[in-house]
Amino acid sequence: MKAIWRIAKATFHEALRHRFLNGILIFAILIIGSSWAFTYLQPGAELKMLVDVGLGAIRFFGMLIAIFVGVRLIPDEIEKQTIHTVLAKPVTRGQFLLGKFFGGVATVFTNVALMGIAFGGVYMIKAPEFREILPEKGTMISMEFMGPNIAKAIGLTFMELFVLTGIAVVASVIFSWVLASIFSFFIYFVGQTADFLRELASPEHGADTASTIIFGVLYRILPHFEIFDIRESIMKDNFVPWSLLGNVTAQAMIYIVVVLMLGYLFFNEREM
Amino acid sequence: MRLSRSYKAIILIILATLIVGSIPLDNNIRYRRLVLGMKQPMPLTKIVDFDPTALTGVMIGAILGGFREVAAAMMWAKVHTLWSTGKGTWFDALYVMRTVTVLDPHWIEPWRITSWHMAYNLYVETDDAKQRAILLDKAIDCLKEGISWNPEEIHLYMDLAWIYFDKLDDYEKAAKWFRATLQMEHPAHIDRMIAHAYEQLPDIPKALDWYDYCLKRNPNDPIAKGATLTIRERYLPAWRLLEAGDYEGALALLNQYLEVDPSDVIGRHVRAHILEEAGRLEEAYDAWQQMSDSSALDDLARRKAAELGTALGKDVAPVATQVLRQQRPDQMTPLRRSEKR
Amino acid sequence: MEGNPVGLIDLSLDVEEGQIFGLVGPNGSGKTTTLKLLLGLVFPTSGSGEIFGYPLGSLSYKERIGFVPEGPYFYDHLNAVELLRFYGSLFGMGGTEMEDRIEYLLKVVGMWDRRERKTGNYSRGMLQRIALAQALINDPDLILMDEPTAGLDPIGAIQIREVIRRLRDEGNTIFICSHLLKEMELLCDSVAILNRGVVCRQGSMEELLAGEDSRYLASFRRLDEDSRQQLQSLAEQIEVKGEQYLATFADQQSAAAAGIAMIEQGAELVEIAAQRLTLEDVFIEAVGGIPE
């Protein structure tokens, strides 16, 4: 455990110093900080736009950070051969993989938390202003659960990005980091519309046996990233039950375990 | 150290168990998201079936993730440019509009304007009944999809009801969608619109019931007052005779009024309706045809004339609502027994 | 150890405790592959191997080894102390024991004064010293080194050689892979020559360099004509290099006798020395000569 912790810590400290990463973070915070400026695009739905742009930016830039961090963690070590000195010590490949993953997750967490804090600040300043104009415009958005729902949405974004980081790390063990980036983006996008695969696999939709099997298996194997998106509930101001968050978190944990085990199988066979 | 084959097999078994074991959890999450309204209410495959261009929106949405709304807003600005400058075809603008509704389904304006463009502006661009039927069909689907995303948005129900009323002359469906707004805070004219729809159908007793309802809500409603008096005086007696099977009596009563006010649209509709019910189809056809010829706005008369003409073996041009009723019977109220020929 | 026909074939090395062992060979001979196999970074396609009685890749022997990579690179953001703390912690070290060990090692490799500087700002030589220090953090029984002096300037190479010798003198066993034959000749107690995955020669440096037909060389200056003729009659061969006459003798006695005779005739004796083989000679012979 100590080896995993030390590797994670070193990974985290090194990743935080990455210029490209810092560039993305600064840009993201600028976008989030100015998210209220986008509200003029949809008059009458200012609050919705503010929340959409803020949470959307956190998710979008978080995704970029998770993939960028994830795919470089292990290839960088192999390229610079620092992995040789670490694996020459009493450290298993599994511990190394986990250490890198947790280091990556900590980096993603920190970046997303900073974006979340930035958005929280903007929301607290601008939301009361937009709230005042709501009744005049006759919009359907009430405000009862919005604050807590935003916090829950950010929490689920953490989970989503942890899964994505795992996928990126594991992909980088199997492919080159460039290919791993493309692969991770692909999985993320397909995962966002996983329901589409399910529909394509449905005989009710007229799928033949081959399509049912292929799309059905794909649907089961691919992570369903849409389960982390609760913006619908925020827009409708529905209470998001804790039990649902618990289930989604459990599902995220299963995804992470599956991905890391798969990564372990490949990483353990890899020659360096 | 390398893993032995047996260890690898154990890991693979654990992996498979986790994937299969998580199916109930996944199903539970899916179900709960559906119940809580977090899931897309309309299956993607269905949306794409309705309109393949919607796939563009799905793709852009997936790629942009969080910036769907900003992209939608920017594309909407593009729609205005396309529409107002006349650059590109109107159908180009339609595709962009459809993409906007997919990108940001909670933005009400694109649903309303897209359907309005289809049912009105693009509708008059063509004389082809089939094309018009497609446009009306898509306009209805567009609003229905908009309602599925935004079930509390009254304007979408009102727009849908109005298209049924004004463009499809399906007054039963119009009344149904107007009625759907009653549980919400709604403007007073909606109550009258329901009555008016039944008046147009024509279903005189129901129309009267709804005008009574309007007067209960607002005893000083001058329109409801006037309409109630007119119905009771002009149409109700004839309608009662129609219900009793006395077609001649009913026609005689109505004709008295129509001699005084030959432009009374509802009266003429009721008269043609009585002729149909009496089985005097040639006369009914002539009545509808006359109304159609005398008023460009009387879509009901045009559709009735086309349907009756076709049934009677006359050489008549089809109308859009007739085509739509044949192609998408689920979109419109089925014809009543007396209308089926 | 048995490996595949492409990389290493039937490799068996005897490394004595407390000595510097060198594995030399041309590029592509399998030196680095050998080290990677020992570290568990690559796997034999067939066969197996052991270190300290443990199978290759096992964590048990990694507790007892240290590794110095070729052209080392470390986490840029860490300074020397932080870096050694990181590596020490991987052995479960901590507290004052680790801090004392770090101070000792940084002093041994001459980096104590520069311990606060980030490794990203280190020169090649400094990185090599830190690489040595990190390999020693666990006080290993066996230190594996890959080209420890490659790419260093002469002073840097001398300093690293001194540290390696000091480690040997303190009882550590050192295993070096290199293609720098002169360096290896200066450093190693024993050597194995690897070519195309096969060990061609193996033994102590003395054994390898002690040829059966050793000659003796004497060099003279200021020889007159008579002396030159006499020297020619006594020596097997004479070579003139500027003012110097280099004479080769079959044995030590002939060389000594010629030396005395020349001094008596007023010539200057510069040096008498045994003509030793170099590792390069042994290597070229072992790998079958220099290819055309």
Side-chain angles (χ1 to χ4, degrees):
Chain A
M1 274 310 286
K2 205 170 178 185
I4 297 172
W5 164 245
R6 292 297 303 195
I7 293 167
K9 205 172 150 191
T11 304
F12 174 65
H13 285 299
E14 178 147 44
L16 280 191
R17 282 164 178 76
H18 217 292
R19 278 186 202 159
F20 181 68
L21 202 64
N22 295 342
I24 295 181
L25 181 65
I26 290 167
F27 188 63
I29 288 179
L30 279 177
I31 297 266
I32 292 165
S34 55
S35 54
W36 58 271
F38 290 91
T39 54
Y40 81 93
L41 288 168
Q42 286 191 21
E46 286 85 356
L47 191 61
K48 167 181 164 293
M49 197 69 175
L50 175 80
V51 174
D52 270 351
V53 173
L55 290 180
I58 292 174
R59 256 185 116 197
F60 180 76
F61 289 109
M63 175 220 28
L64 285 185
I65 290 171
I67 292 180
F68 175 75
V69 168
V71 297
R72 293 308 297 262
L73 288 176
I74 291 179
D76 274 2
E77 293 262 353
I78 294 173
E79 199 177 297
K80 294 172 182 170
Q81 299 191 351
T82 41
I83 194 170
H84 292 181
T85 49
V86 177
L87 290 184
K89 309 282 186 271
V91 174
T92 64
R93 291 187 182 209
Q95 287 171 325
F96 185 81
L97 183 71
L98 280 179
K100 295 309 280 184
F101 168 71
F102 286 126
V105 158
T107 312
V108 171
F109 178 85
T110 309
N111 280 279
V112 173
L114 287 173
M115 289 191 267
I117 290 167
F119 176 60
V122 174
Y123 179 78
M124 286 210 284
I125 295 166
K126 298 302 283 189
E129 193 182 304
F130 295 138
R131 210 175 301 186
E132 276 176 24
I133 57 175
L134 277 180
E136 293 168 30
K137 303 273 183 185
T139 170
M140 63 178 186
I141 304 175
S142 61
M143 295 289 297
E144 198 183 346
F145 302 113
M146 191 168 261
N149 276 351
I150 288 172
K152 288 172 186 173
I154 295 175
L156 286 179
T157 302
F158 283 133
M159 286 294 142
E160 178 182 31
L161 296 178
F162 295 165
V163 176
L164 187 60
T165 307
I167 290 171
V169 169
V170 169
S172 75
V173 168
I174 304 168
F175 314 117
S176 71
W177 72 266
V178 177
L179 199 60
S181 310
I182 296 167
F183 177 80
S184 307
F185 277 115
F186 178 77
I187 295 288
Y188 183 72
F189 296 141
V190 176
Q192 291 287 349
T193 50
D195 256 1
F196 194 39
L197 291 175
R198 198 173 154 276
E199 289 166 27
L200 289 175
S202 161
E204 289 165 22
H205 184 69
D208 54 24
T209 316
S211 307
T212 306
I213 293 170
I214 293 168
F215 290 120
V217 169
L218 270 178
Y219 172 73
R220 283 294 161 213
I221 288 176
L222 288 173
H224 306 157
F225 282 111
E226 83 268 13
I227 64 170
F228 301 104
D229 188 356
I230 57 164
R231 278 186 293 173
E232 281 293 311
S233 282
I234 299 177
M235 291 305 115
K236 292 172 183 163
D237 203 43
N238 291 336
F239 175 75
V240 179
W242 289 105
S243 56
L244 177 70
L245 296 185
N247 283 359
V248 174
T249 305
Q251 180 75 67
M253 293 300 164
I254 291 173
Y255 286 148
I256 290 171
V257 171
V258 167
V259 163
L260 290 180
M261 283 177 96
L262 208 59
Y264 177 65
L265 280 181
F266 281 100
F267 190 51
N268 219 44
E269 291 294 309
R270 180 161 176 165
E271 302 210 321
M272 277 165 282
Chain B
M1 282 210 301
R2 250 181 174 160
L3 290 175
S4 67
R5 280 188 180 176
S6 48
Y7 267 116
K8 284 181 199 165
I10 290 169
I11 290 178
L12 286 174
I13 290 167
I14 294 172
L15 278 178
T17 311
L18 279 172
I19 291 171
V20 175
S22 69
I23 291 176
L25 184 60
D26 181 60
N27 289 342
N28 176 280
I29 293 170
R30 262 176 20 82
Y31 172 72
R32 297 191 63 187
R33 284 176 59 81
L34 191 66
V35 170
L36 289 164
M38 290 182 193
K39 247 174 76 65
Q40 191 160 286
M42 187 169 283
L44 263 177
T45 39
K46 205 173 172 204
I47 296 175
V48 175
D49 274 353
F50 287 160
D51 187 352
T53 56
L55 198 58
T56 321
V58 174
M59 299 284 284
I60 295 172
I63 291 165
L64 287 173
F67 291 107
R68 297 158 67 125
E69 289 75 17
V70 177
M74 288 175 172
M75 290 177 93
W76 195 239
K78 175 81 178 162
V79 168
H80 284 304
T81 313
L82 280 171
W83 201 267
S84 55
T85 61
K87 284 179 187 165
T89 67
W90 287 13
F91 285 94
D92 290 341
L94 198 62
Y95 295 147
V96 185
M97 281 185 219
R98 195 65 182 84
T99 307
V100 172
T101 60
V102 176
L103 281 176
D104 188 359
H106 294 295
W107 191 8
I108 308 305
E109 191 185 340
W111 291 114
R112 299 187 66 192
I113 293 186
T114 304
S115 57
W116 169 61
H117 276 314
M118 288 193 278
Y120 286 86
N121 294 330
L122 293 177
Y123 182 89
V124 296
E125 283 292 297
T126 174
D127 289 328
D128 181 30
K130 284 182 186 167
Q131 288 276 337
R132 285 181 161 191
I134 290 169
L135 284 165
L136 290 175
D137 186 28
K138 283 187 180 294
I140 294 168
D141 279 340
C142 178
L143 283 167
K144 282 182 180 170
E145 195 191 329
I147 288 169
S148 72
W149 282 104
N150 307 283
E152 292 155 58
E153 187 51 58
I154 189 168
H155 294 103
L156 296 175
Y157 293 90
M158 284 161 61
D159 287 0
L160 181 59
W162 179 247
I163 289 177
Y164 270 117
F165 186 100
D166 189 46
K167 298 303 288 189
L168 291 156
D169 44 77
D170 185 340
Y171 301 107
E172 284 192 51
K173 287 267 187 195
K176 176 195 154 187
W177 287 103
F178 278 131
R179 279 208 310 271
T181 65
L182 297 185
Q183 287 137 1
M184 303 175 216
E185 200 177 313
H186 61 281
H189 76 269
I190 297 283
D191 301 332
R192 291 199 298 269
M193 283 307 298
I194 299 168
H196 196 43
Y198 285 121
E199 214 174 9
Q200 291 281 347
L201 190 57
D203 188 335
I204 298 302
K206 272 195 178 171
L208 205 55
D209 285 349
W210 278 98
Y211 279 125
D212 283 344
Y213 170 80
C214 294
L215 287 172
K216 271 181 201 154
R217 286 195 67 194
N218 179 11
N220 297 320
D221 183 341
I223 301 169
K225 265 186 189 169
T228 307
L229 285 173
T230 311
I231 290 172
R232 284 188 199 283
E233 189 184 338
R234 291 188 184 180
Y235 317 129
L236 193 62
W239 195 269
R240 294 292 180 221
L241 290 173
L242 166 72
E243 284 174 335
D246 182 1
Y247 303 118
E248 295 306 322
L251 282 170
L253 267 180
L254 253 164
N255 285 338
Q256 283 178 14
Y257 283 105
L258 286 173
E259 276 169 24
V260 179
D261 182 6
S263 62
D264 177 355
V265 175
I266 293 171
R268 292 171 80 183
H269 281 184
V270 174
R271 182 176 170 273
H273 179 71
I274 295 170
L275 286 169
E276 274 187 72
E277 294 287 313
R280 292 156 66 175
L281 300 182
E282 283 288 348
E283 287 172 74
Y285 168 74
D286 290 339
W288 288 119
Q289 190 60 50
Q290 274 175 14
M291 285 185 269
S292 170
D293 293 343
S294 60
S295 168
L297 297 173
D298 197 340
D299 286 327
L300 174 69
R302 209 169 357 269
R303 197 252 300 171
K304 286 280 193 182
E307 278 173 356
L308 265 176
T310 311
L312 294 170
K314 296 181 189 296
D315 184 21
V316 286
V319 294
T321 44
Q322 189 189 4
V323 174
L324 184 60
R325 198 184 287 278
Q326 286 160 2
Q327 289 177 347
R328 286 288 306 276
D330 57 307
Q331 288 285 44
M332 297 180 76
T333 311
L335 291 175
R336 278 171 292 181
R337 200 150 42 87
S338 61
E339 292 175 304
K340 286 182 189 166
R341 273 166 274 269
Chain C
M1 191 193 311
E2 290 175 13
N4 68 47
V6 181
L8 295 167
I9 310 160
D10 195 16
L11 183 66
S12 175
L13 301 169
D14 302 319
V15 183
E16 278 180 38
E17 248 185 84
Q19 65 164 210
I20 302 173
F21 183 92
L23 183 66
V24 299
N27 290 335
S29 59
K31 300 186 301 290
T32 304
T33 307
T34 307
L35 271 184
K36 286 184 172 178
L37 271 169
L38 295 176
L39 294 169
L41 297 173
V42 298
F43 311 102
T45 41
S46 65
S48 59
E50 285 184 354
I51 294 184
F52 299 135
Y54 298 106
L56 290 180
S58 154
L59 289 194
S60 307
Y61 72 77
K62 287 187 180 176
E63 299 273 0
R64 296 171 58 189
I65 65 166
F67 170 59
V68 181
E70 182 186 3
Y73 178 90
F74 299 106
Y75 302 112
D76 283 347
H77 63 283
L78 300 179
N79 65 31
V81 176
E82 289 164 341
L83 189 79
L84 294 187
R85 267 190 208 132
F86 167 69
Y87 284 112
S89 69
L90 298 180
F91 287 97
M93 294 169 75
T96 50
E97 176 214 11
M98 182 163 75
E99 296 304 321
D100 291 347
R101 180 77 184 156
I102 289 171
E103 183 178 344
Y104 166 75
L105 288 174
L106 288 177
K107 283 177 177 166
V108 166
V109 299
M111 289 295 291
W112 180 246
D113 295 338
R114 285 165 282 190
R115 64 185 180 278
E116 298 296 340
R117 220 198 281 180
K118 304 275 184 213
T119 58
N121 301 323
Y122 280 3
S123 68
R124 180 85 170 70
M126 289 158 80
L127 283 171
Q128 200 70 41
R129 288 164 196 232
I130 289 298
L132 256 176
Q134 64 80 27
L136 299 170
I137 190 80
N138 56 328
D139 194 12
D141 297 327
L142 172 65
I143 304 160
L144 306 169
M145 298 184 178
D146 193 7
E147 307 283 6
T149 57
L152 294 182
D153 62 39
I155 301 292
I158 289 167
Q159 288 172 331
I160 292 291
R161 275 205 302 272
E162 277 172 8
V163 174
I164 293 172
R165 283 199 193 100
R166 188 171 158 186
L167 291 170
R168 187 259 321 268
D169 297 342
E170 286 172 3
N172 294 294
T173 307
I174 296 151
F175 181 99
I176 304 177
C177 285
S178 180
H179 65 281
L180 300 175
L181 297 173
K182 289 204 168 97
E183 287 285 338
M184 298 297 268
E185 190 178 330
L186 288 168
L187 262 177
C188 297
D189 302 311
S190 297
V191 167
I193 298 171
L194 191 65
N195 189 33
R196 293 177 187 169
V198 180
V199 175
C200 329
R201 294 282 300 271
Q202 184 174 188
S204 73
M205 194 63 85
E206 274 180 20
E207 283 166 16
L208 289 173
L209 301 185
E212 287 168 7
D213 51 350
S214 294
R215 295 284 188 274
Y216 280 79
L217 272 179
S219 69
F220 304 96
R221 273 200 299 222
R222 296 204 297 271
L223 294 187
D224 56 21
E225 189 53 36
D226 292 343
S227 309
R228 266 200 302 273
Q229 283 180 5
Q230 194 180 351
L231 186 61
Q232 220 146 23
S233 63
L234 292 169
E236 286 185 334
Q237 190 191 331
I238 291 181
E239 194 183 335
V240 183
K241 273 192 178 170
E243 286 184 358
Q244 284 200 28
Y245 292 81
L246 302 172
T248 308
F249 299 93
D251 53 47
Q252 198 177 355
Q253 287 75 18
S254 322
I260 292 164
M262 290 301 110
I263 291 166
E264 283 172 353
Q265 292 194 18
E268 184 189 341
L269 173 64
V270 180
E271 183 187 26
I272 295 182
Q275 186 190 29
R276 291 187 65 201
L277 286 171
T278 63
L279 186 57
E280 197 170 86
D281 299 328
V282 178
F283 178 81
I284 290 169
E285 189 205 328
V287 300
I290 300 169
E292 289 297 317

